[in-house]
């Protein structure tokens, strides 16, 4: 989180050239920076399937109410297919995969791997727009990916050993990058909060089935703190945070606004130490620094 992007393709003109996009983007990043933390908290009393799907169901109920209350027009034509892409990435893929991964790895470890997200979304955006970025863009993005894999291997038992949790986190990064890239573009046609709202509605039937299945398999037995963490994931990470994030991308310039997310893993590492009392090792700090630096270079190269 959260549930929680980067450079997107510029296929539509930005809504404005003011600094408003940066501030909206930063607000979304702050909201998303708690996603991994509160997922880790909720895991103590709720199953990963319930957390990943349940937060989408709650958010979908809020989205349906907002869309009906404001009498939003239905998406048209291929916008429905694009919404499926967004839903698969940010409503289903990222929440479910990170929830399962966080059952075995701590929040700081996940934050380092997820730091790949800005560069990954920049790559997805470049491919989506059929751009030809300079070679240094691809080199820095590749180095960042190698740094993240090396970090995961070293913490997971040495080179050649990549845990299932790390594979889930890498899958979450890819899914979210695709969803962010497509959602940032679609927000210029449908609107920022409308995009995430319709994506939640599209995913709702599948998410409801998954919630029912999770309750049958493992009935929820959470403490008030764990329910509060789940509430944050559902209302903020899965819904309100996207209002700010997609609004920032829609205002643009997208390549510039997307750089704000480079501070997200730093925030998450700080929250992990302050709220979860996780010990930040030198390996975690160095790994996070390397991945964030490469992601920043990739995004800045594409911006230029």
């Amino acid at each position: 989180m959260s549930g929680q992007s980067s450079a997107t393709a510029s296929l539509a003109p930005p809504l404005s050239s003011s600094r408003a996009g940066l501030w909206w983007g930063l607000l979304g990043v702050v909201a998303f920076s708690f996603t991994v933390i509160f997922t880790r908290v909720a895991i103590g009393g709720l199953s990963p399937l319930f957390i990943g799907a349940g937060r989408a169901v709650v958010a979908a109920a809020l989205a349906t109410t907002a869309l009906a209350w404001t009498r939003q027009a239905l998406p048209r034509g291929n916008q429905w297919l694009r919404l499926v892409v967004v839903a698969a990435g940010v409503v289903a893929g990222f929440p479910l995969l990170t929830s399962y991964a966080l059952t075995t790895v701590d929040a700081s470890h996940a934050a380092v791997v997820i730091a790949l997200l800005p560069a990954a979304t920049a790559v997805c955006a470049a491919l989506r727009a059929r751009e030809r970025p300079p070679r240094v863009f691809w080199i820095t993005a590749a180095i960042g990916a190698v740094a993240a894999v090396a970090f995961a291997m070293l913490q997971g038992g040495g080179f050649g050993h990549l845990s299932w949790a790390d594979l889930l986190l890498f899958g979450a990064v890819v899914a979210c990058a695709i969803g962010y890239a497509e959602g940032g573009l679609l927000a210029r046609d449908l609107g920022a909060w409308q995009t995430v709202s319709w994506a939640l509605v599209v995913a709702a039937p599948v998410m409801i089935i998954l919630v029912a299945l999770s309750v049958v398999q493992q009935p929820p037995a959470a403490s008030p703190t764990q329910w509060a963490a789940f509430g944050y994931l559902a209302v903020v990470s899965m819904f309100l945070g996207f209002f700010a994030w997609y609004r920032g991308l829609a205002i643009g310039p997208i390549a510039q606004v997307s750089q704000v997310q480079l501070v997200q893993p730093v925030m998450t590492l700080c929250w992990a130490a302050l709220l979860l009392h996780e010990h930040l090792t030198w390996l975690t700090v160095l790994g996070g620094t390397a991945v964030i630096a490469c992601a920043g270079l990739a995004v800045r190269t594409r911006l230029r």
Side-chain angles (χ1 to χ4, degrees):
M1 271 81 337
S2 110
Q4 268 162 304
S5 93
S6 239
T8 351
S10 261
L11 297 181
L15 301 179
S16 169
S17 59
S18 70
R19 292 182 179 271
L22 291 173
W23 288 111
W24 279 110
L26 181 60
L27 180 61
V29 163
V30 173
F32 293 145
S33 69
F34 289 96
T35 300
V36 171
I37 304 300
F38 288 131
T39 300
R40 184 67 175 167
V41 172
I43 285 292
L46 301 169
S47 72
L49 182 58
F50 182 89
I51 294 171
R55 72 199 215 188
V57 171
V58 174
L62 297 174
T64 302
T65 302
L67 290 169
W69 182 268
T70 57
R71 298 182 180 180
Q72 295 295 314
L74 290 171
R76 302 183 305 275
N78 73 336
Q79 289 178 342
W80 287 108
L81 293 177
R82 297 173 67 186
L83 284 168
V84 170
V85 174
V86 177
V90 302
V91 178
F94 186 84
L96 288 170
L97 293 174
T98 53
S99 294
Y100 276 101
L102 284 165
T103 59
T104 56
V105 298
D106 57 30
S108 55
H109 179 101
V112 174
V113 177
I114 294 173
L116 270 176
L117 189 52
T121 315
V123 170
C124 290
L127 296 175
R128 174 72 171 81
R130 297 182 178 85
E131 296 177 352
R132 293 181 180 272
R135 184 176 300 176
V136 67
F137 167 80
W138 300 106
I139 293 174
T140 52
I143 293 175
V146 170
V149 172
F151 165 81
M153 285 183 175
L154 287 173
Q155 281 212 328
F159 282 104
H161 184 276
L162 203 61
S163 69
W164 277 108
D166 289 313
L167 294 176
L168 292 174
L169 289 172
F170 285 123
V173 167
V174 173
C176 197
I178 295 172
Y180 276 162
E182 192 62 48
L185 293 174
L186 194 55
R188 292 182 173 177
D189 298 325
L190 294 179
W193 71 268
Q194 293 92 333
T195 297
V196 66
S197 295
W198 284 117
L200 286 163
V201 170
V202 167
V206 175
M207 295 296 103
I208 291 173
I209 293 173
L210 292 179
V211 168
L213 180 62
S214 71
V215 171
V216 171
Q217 291 179 340
Q218 182 181 334
S223 67
T225 299
Q226 291 161 347
W227 278 118
F230 174 80
Y232 183 95
L233 294 173
V235 177
V236 180
S237 296
M238 195 80 265
F239 191 55
L240 296 180
F242 281 100
F243 280 38
W245 180 243
Y246 280 149
R247 176 62 179 171
L249 291 180
I251 291 175
I254 285 178
Q256 183 178 354
V257 173
S258 67
Q259 295 180 73
V260 175
Q261 201 191 24
L262 293 169
V263 303
Q264 183 174 325
V266 179
M267 291 182 182
T268 301
L269 288 172
C270 292
W271 305 146
L274 292 173
L275 301 178
L276 302 181
H277 306 293
E278 292 184 0
H279 178 62
L280 299 182
T281 65
W282 280 109
L283 178 59
T284 301
V285 174
L286 290 175
T289 301
V291 176
I292 294 168
C294 291
L297 286 172
V299 174
R300 288 180 180 274
T301 300
R302 183 176 177 273
L303 176 60
R304 290 195 298 268

